[in-house]
Amino acid sequence: MRVLGIESSCDETGMAIYDTEQGLLAHALHSQVALHAEYGGVVPEIASRDHIQQALPLLQEVLNKSQLNCSEINAIAYTAGPGLAGALLVGAGIAHGLAFSLNKPIILIHHLEGHILSPLLGEQKPSFPFIALLISGGHTQLLKVDDIGQYSLLGETLDDAAGEAFDKTAQLLGLGYPGGAALSQLAKKGSSGYFTLPRPMLHSGTLDFSFSGLKTAVSVQIQKLKATNHFNQTNCANLAHDFVNAIVDVLISKTLFALKKTKIKQLVVAGGVSANEQLRTALDVAASQNKANVLFPDLKFCTDNGAMIALAGALRIKRWPEQALKNHHFIKIRPRWPLNMI
Ligand code: KG4
Ligand code: ZN
């Protein structure tokens, strides 16, 4: 069975075709980063308009790459939420239009489920149960994953998501939007120990996170540097270095606590921040010290993409064929969709 996956929840348009026998056949992605950069964040109206422009050329691209035509696709999966309503409607509209004209079944996918299952696109696949550390621009969650569709929330951020903390801090350091990757690069040029930054909720005894205080602490340090004329490249790199250390420390400590609490030895890290090099290296070390196995998605599937949606759709239809809807007349999106409501 071949499933077309469509992702359009935020600022990336993704298309992919996943075959349940052969794996991923093709994927294509368009990032809107350049369009939103000058506004310092995602502008929903611009996002929707660009998804409309990009969707069909990307569809053509994945069909060409996989040497298939539309009628050879057996089902269509699209991100129904959570995300920006207008952006989601573009993917939903394209998915429903295709399903209607081709008379193929359609399945609604939860964006976070796509991220959680994304390491299953790799060679080395996690087995159930596993702990998932989901770290994206909008979410920071620790989950116990017993099977496809069985996700128990163990803890989450009480304020900013990890990616949001990266982006806001990058903005403070003048690195543009979204600044996660740029901040991580700058951090590599710095050294530790020049700034004292907090590790919020490190000893809270819970699996919840809080990152807004960390961003505020960076902001205070920047103000001090500016007031004393020391806001220069070296100090920014050192500050970025200490920021990344602080965030990595908290993520690792909470994740190890989750593994200990649940006695599970398998860890999956997914979402945009899982591309972070410092975190990947530190988690590899921490996991092996704790005799746990950690798996990350391939770098190209850490941030939003269509492949994870096609995969989630294929796994769901294979397991629960009745979830694929044959009625294409009601275009449905769920901009606010808690993971436990799928
Ligand atoms: O999963 P994603 O593409 O979108 C959401 O579903 O939110 O995650 C985007 C987030 C952004 O905040 C971005 O700055 C962050 O992932 N990110 C990174 C890195 N690459 C992307 N953060 C830290 N280090 C990176 N290398
Ligand atoms: Zn995402």
Side-chain angles (χ1 to χ4, degrees), residues 243-306:
F243 167 83
V244 174
N245 279 352
I247 219 160
V248 166
D249 279 357
V250 176
L251 289 173
I252 290 188
S253 160
K254 297 277 174 176
T255 304
L256 292 179
F257 188 32
L259 293 171
K260 192 173 162 200
K261 251 183 134 170
T262 56
K263 299 190 173 64
I264 291 176
K265 289 287 182 190
Q266 179 120 243
L267 172 67
V268 154
V269 189
V273 182
S274 68
N276 185 270
E277 218 179 300
Q278 292 91 332
L279 178 68
R280 283 183 173 234
T281 309
L283 260 177
D284 272 335
V285 174
S288 80
Q289 282 169 350
N290 286 273
K291 297 191 172 47
N293 183 30
V294 58
L295 287 171
F296 301 90
D298 192 284
L299 277 181
K300 60 182 173 294
F301 299 133
C302 288
T303 44
D304 294 347
N305 63 85

Side-chain angles (χ1 to χ4, degrees), residues 10-23:
C10 189
D11 58 351
E12 258 117 13
T13 324
M15 290 270 171
I17 301 172
Y18 187 87
D19 185 309
T20 44
E21 304 300 318
Q22 298 173 51

Side-chain angles (χ1 to χ4, degrees), residues 173 195 197 218 221-222 225 235-243:
L173 290 166
F195 299 92
L197 296 178
V218 172
Q221 296 293 348
I222 289 176
L225 289 173
N235 283 327
C236 283
N238 290 338
L239 189 50
H241 192 97
D242 278 329
F243 167 83

Side-chain angles (χ1 to χ4, degrees), residues 64 86 220:
N64 291 348
V220 170

Side-chain angles (χ1 to χ4, degrees), residues 35 38 91 201 252 255 260 311 319:
L35 283 180
E38 65 175 295
M201 296 187 69
I252 290 188
T255 304
K260 192 173 162 200
L311 168 81
R319 178 81 68 93

Side-chain angles (χ1 to χ4, degrees), residues 12 111 115 136-138 163-164 166-167 178-181 184 271-273 275-276 302-304:
E12 258 117 13
H111 181 78
H115 277 303
S136 70
E164 199 177 348
F166 264 97
D167 292 341
S184 167
V273 182
N276 185 270
C302 288
T303 44
D304 294 347

Side-chain angles (χ1 to χ4, degrees), residues 10-340:
C10 189
D11 58 351
E12 258 117 13
T13 324
M15 290 270 171
I17 301 172
Y18 187 87
D19 185 309
T20 44
E21 304 300 318
Q22 298 173 51
L24 188 65
L25 298 184
H27 79 99
L29 188 75
H30 173 79
S31 167
Q32 302 180 352
V33 160
L35 283 180
H36 301 291
E38 65 175 295
Y39 303 99
V42 177
V43 183
E45 179 63 24
I46 294 178
S48 313
R49 291 182 191 190
D50 196 58
H51 285 306
I52 289 182
Q53 301 291 333
Q54 304 298 335
L56 294 183
L58 289 174
L59 172 61
Q60 189 63 63
E61 191 179 328
V62 290
L63 290 172
N64 291 348
K65 280 182 178 167
S66 57
Q67 296 185 319
L68 295 170
N69 60 51
C70 272
S71 60
E72 292 172 291
I73 286 166
N74 305 106
I76 295 156
Y78 72 94
T79 304
L84 302 169
L88 290 168
L89 274 172
V90 175
I94 302 267
H96 280 264
L98 278 172
F100 181 74
S101 59
L102 298 167
N103 195 24
K104 303 286 181 193
I106 197 163
I107 185 158
L108 285 65
I109 298 298
H110 192 291
H111 181 78
L112 298 185
E113 177 170 67
H115 277 303
I116 292 168
L117 299 179
S118 61
L120 288 162
L121 289 163
E123 297 269 299
Q124 212 192 331
K125 300 186 193 323
S127 53
F128 299 105
F130 59 79
I131 295 297
L133 172 65
L134 181 61
I135 35 180
S136 70
H139 294 85
T140 297
Q141 299 187 335
L142 273 164
L143 301 140
K144 181 167 169 272
V145 180
D146 287 301
D147 203 344
I148 300 160
Q150 287 182 34
Y151 312 115
S152 322
L153 184 66
L154 303 174
E156 65 183 333
T157 183
L158 304 179
D159 41 56
D160 291 352
E164 199 177 348
F166 264 97
D167 292 341
K168 287 178 174 171
T169 303
Q171 195 92 317
L172 291 169
L173 290 166
L175 298 173
Y177 177 87
L183 181 54
S184 167
Q185 288 305 320
L186 180 63
K188 282 198 230 159
K189 296 182 188 148
S191 312
S192 56
Y194 287 94
F195 299 92
T196 308
L197 296 178
R199 268 73 175 150
M201 296 187 69
L202 192 64
H203 303 296
S204 67
T206 70
L207 292 169
D208 291 328
F209 304 84
S210 164
F211 292 115
S212 68
L214 184 53
K215 167 205 67 198
T216 307
V218 172
S219 164
V220 170
Q221 296 293 348
I222 289 176
Q223 280 166 26
K224 280 188 196 163
L225 289 173
K226 285 187 172 165
T228 54
N229 258 338
H230 286 100
F231 188 65
N232 54 35
Q233 189 69 11
T234 309
N235 283 327
C236 283
N238 290 338
L239 189 50
H241 192 97
D242 278 329
F243 167 83
V244 174
N245 279 352
I247 219 160
V248 166
D249 279 357
V250 176
L251 289 173
I252 290 188
S253 160
K254 297 277 174 176
T255 304
L256 292 179
F257 188 32
L259 293 171
K260 192 173 162 200
K261 251 183 134 170
T262 56
K263 299 190 173 64
I264 291 176
K265 289 287 182 190
Q266 179 120 243
L267 172 67
V268 154
V269 189
V273 182
S274 68
N276 185 270
E277 218 179 300
Q278 292 91 332
L279 178 68
R280 283 183 173 234
T281 309
L283 260 177
D284 272 335
V285 174
S288 80
Q289 282 169 350
N290 286 273
K291 297 191 172 47
N293 183 30
V294 58
L295 287 171
F296 301 90
D298 192 284
L299 277 181
K300 60 182 173 294
F301 299 133
C302 288
T303 44
D304 294 347
N305 63 85
M308 66 185 193
I309 304 304
L311 168 81
L315 294 176
R316 276 192 169 267
I317 297 178
K318 207 171 156 189
R319 178 81 68 93
W320 300 290
E322 71 283 1
Q323 284 189 1
L325 307 173
K326 303 237 164 50
N327 170 4
H328 316 113
H329 309 304
F330 181 56
I331 295 180
K332 194 170 177 187
I333 56 158
R334 301 197 58 180
R336 289 174 189 277
W337 190 7
L339 191 56
N340 61 2

